[in-house]
Amino acid sequence: MTAPAGPSALESAVEPAVRRPAGFLRSALTVALKDLRAELRTKDALNASLAFSVVILLLFSFAFDPSVEETRALAGGLLWLVFAFAGALVWNRSFARELPNDCLEGLLAAPISGAALYAGKAAANWLLLMAVELAGLAVFGVFYNTAWTSRFWPLLGVLALGTWAMTVVGTLFSALTVNLRLRELMLPLLVYPMLIPALLAAIQLTGPLALGQPAPAEVLVWLRLLGAFDIIFTALSLALVEAVLVG
Amino acid sequence: MRGKTLIVLCGLAAALLARNLYVMLLELPDEAAQGPIFRIIFFHVPAAWTAFLAFLGAAGASLLYLLRKDLRYDAFAVALTEVGLAFAAANLATGMIWGRIIWGIWWTWDPRLTSMLVCWVLYAGYLTLRHAVEEPGQRARVAAVVSILACVDVPIVFFSIRWWRTQHPQPVVWGGGSMDPAYWNMLFLNWIPLLLLGAVLTALRMRQESWQREIEGLRRRAHAL
Amino acid sequence: MSALELEEVWKFYGDFPALRGITMRFDPGACLALLGRNGAGKSTLLRILAGLSRAGRGQVRVLGADPRERQARARIGVLGHGLSLYEELSALENLTLFGKLYNLAEPGRQARRWLERIGLESAGDALVREFSRGMRQRLAIARAFLHEPELLLLDEPFTALDDRAVAVLQELLGEARRKGRTVVLSTHQLREALEPASHVALLVRGRLAYAGERRREMLEDAGWLYRTYGEGT
């Protein structure tokens, strides 16, 4: 008696057996890669955010003269204002890109959870926004003549945490407002007030780092706040997104 | 709640309020540093407590809606939120008046007023969102999510802004500055009529909301025929 | 195990009932033509079956499970009005994406196989943005059938299809029926829907006016069904 062979060529030409649906991480990864590929091909949101960031930094340098010592203290606030505005352009696209051709229905009908769909989009948004922010940071360094590169790694850490906070809330509200009229108004009206604690923490942490100075001692409090915000809102969003997407 | 109950509650609130005002103005002595205007705190602080209770209740009602899908929970949530917004506005107004008289400026970026302003904007966003959604089921769902998120955000906002600023006199309830027991009692005593008022307003608003939905339903049915 | 089982299903938009007490049961292998005028509730019902929407009241079971469960959705293919194709991705990328979402083994290879089947193998790397309408329709059909679903939900599939797309769809439907798959077709065009159908369900203002086998009279006389079971003209 020979041992049973593996699936023959004939069998694999016949219909495949019932599959188990893909797991959370794989589904989220598929969605994230899809969003990134689509965005990198069209570069709609990317170009808009980048251009917007640079122009705002330019405008800020007229409003807040970089050569004056006092305004350098505003560095953290300026940067995060720029990031928050640029971010809106990214989140806006996030679920809006699923509207043409009813693509959102195609995704919702697929065997992936709403949470996986959301997580994938949030991850893609995070990456895109981080790229825009790093570019913005470079421009800021030039305009304001700061030595932020000496604090690169802590700065990157703060950027990562702060951007995650913005992305988590922004992407959820993008899903929430996807087929509402006045979508462009809803997003900033709802998202920014909710983000105030996270932005506050990020600004306090970024301020000295962006100027090339070490972070002050009370930094731990803000770091904990930012971390707690990230964890709480990620958990809440993952739990609530299904209710948002399916009526 | 039935009409008669509401009237009784109103009457109770009015009576308590009258009694409190009498005590406040005639019996309690002026506070040492702040003079007569100090009495505004007996409205300022309980208004904030009422607003927080309302927002918390709204979040609870929202969660119940998401679980049970009964639109009455949604009516409860929006009624509570609007009442909460009203009391938050009262808190802001009394705070600003007090600040104007004590410090001569309308707005001081002290932590608690600032936080309350952020909360007010948050929940104003909730109401604006409701106006943007036509279909009642979708509106309830979407609003419920925002209500829950906003409620969780409220304490975080307060802590973060408190760490960021300190200009307000020591928080009297959360520890720190001390307060004469007579004042303490009045704070809680004055909270009761405010709560009663809040309950009456919520009930009225809920009733109005259910009538509104009935009208919308009839309109839709009329169009469909 | 039935393919479709609905019991006293209601769907409300606010207080307006779009579906009223729908009760029906169909065995696997049925080809169900879902008929009804505009606003009767066909799309609403299909969306609930596809797991895109939740019933307000009542029980829905699709292939033995709640349609919101991922196990059920893995075996359902959906073709709606919008074709659910990404304009900025190529045909191959679109199919591979859905292959991955439906957890196919070797999604890329399956995608290529399907492109050949629908005659788009030479346009595989072209972006959907550049496709003609007929090409998109064929691609959308491939997307719906890609994962060999046991249940197919097609919302007005024959609307505005060109000849090639109609041929592809009819061939795939025939094959699905031969393999014992269940098909639900909602449509206005009586003739085209009734021909392949084994069963018929008629929705009138949210209520199920008829649910059962396709009768000879329905095929011979276009208006018979509406006259006998529909309300008014």
Side-chain angles (χ1 to χ4, degrees), chain A residues 119-192:
Chain A
K121 283 193 168 286
N125 288 344
W126 183 82
L127 276 169
L128 289 171
L129 199 43
M130 284 293 284
V132 170
E133 289 176 2
L134 285 171
L137 197 53
V139 173
F140 168 83
V142 168
F143 283 177
Y144 283 75
N145 201 18
T146 66
W148 62 268
T149 43
S150 63
R151 302 276 157 213
F152 180 68
W153 291 111
L155 200 49
L156 192 64
V158 173
L159 244 60
L161 285 176
T163 308
W164 183 246
M166 289 202 296
T167 304
V168 155
V169 177
T171 310
L172 181 65
F173 279 91
S174 174
L176 221 140
T177 56
V178 69
N179 42 27
L180 295 184
R181 57 173 212 264
L182 306 177
R183 186 189 346 124
E184 278 81 18
L185 172 62
M186 285 292 109
L187 215 42
L189 194 63
L190 295 168
V191 174
Y192 290 144

Side-chain angles (χ1 to χ4, degrees), chain A residues 20 98 101 105 242 247, chain C residues 47 54 68 84 86 93 103:
Chain A
R20 293 176 52 237
E98 306 295 341
N101 294 340
E105 298 217 334
E242 190 83 24
Chain C
R47 286 177 60 90
R54 269 184 255 264
R68 273 311 295 163
S84 295
Y86 289 96
E93 285 167 347
N103 206 20

Side-chain angles (χ1 to χ4, degrees), chain A residues 172-173 176 179-181 186 189-190 193-194 196-197 200 204 221-222 225 229 232-233 236 240 243-244 246-247, chain B residues 66 118 121-122 125-126 128-129 131-134 138 141-142 145-146 149-150 152-153 156-157 160-161 163-164:
Chain A
L172 181 65
F173 279 91
L176 221 140
N179 42 27
L180 295 184
R181 57 173 212 264
M186 285 292 109
L189 194 63
L190 295 168
M194 207 158 282
I196 283 177
L200 201 47
Q204 297 301 309
V221 154
W222 294 116
L225 173 65
F229 188 96
I232 291 173
F233 275 85
L236 265 180
L240 291 171
V244 169
V246 180
Chain B
L66 287 179
V118 172
V121 172
L122 257 177
Y126 167 93
T128 318
L129 177 66
H131 281 296
V133 186
E134 305 278 337
Q138 189 191 8
R141 237 187 329 124
V142 151
V145 169
V146 174
L149 287 170
V152 171
D153 208 31
I156 303 179
V157 165
S160 64
I161 296 185
W163 286 333
W164 181 55

Side-chain angles (χ1 to χ4, degrees), chain C residues 65-79:
Chain C
D66 185 290
R68 273 311 295 163
E69 282 175 40
R70 291 187 297 134
Q71 279 287 0
R73 281 182 284 155
R75 296 139 75 201
I76 301 176
V78 181
L79 185 59

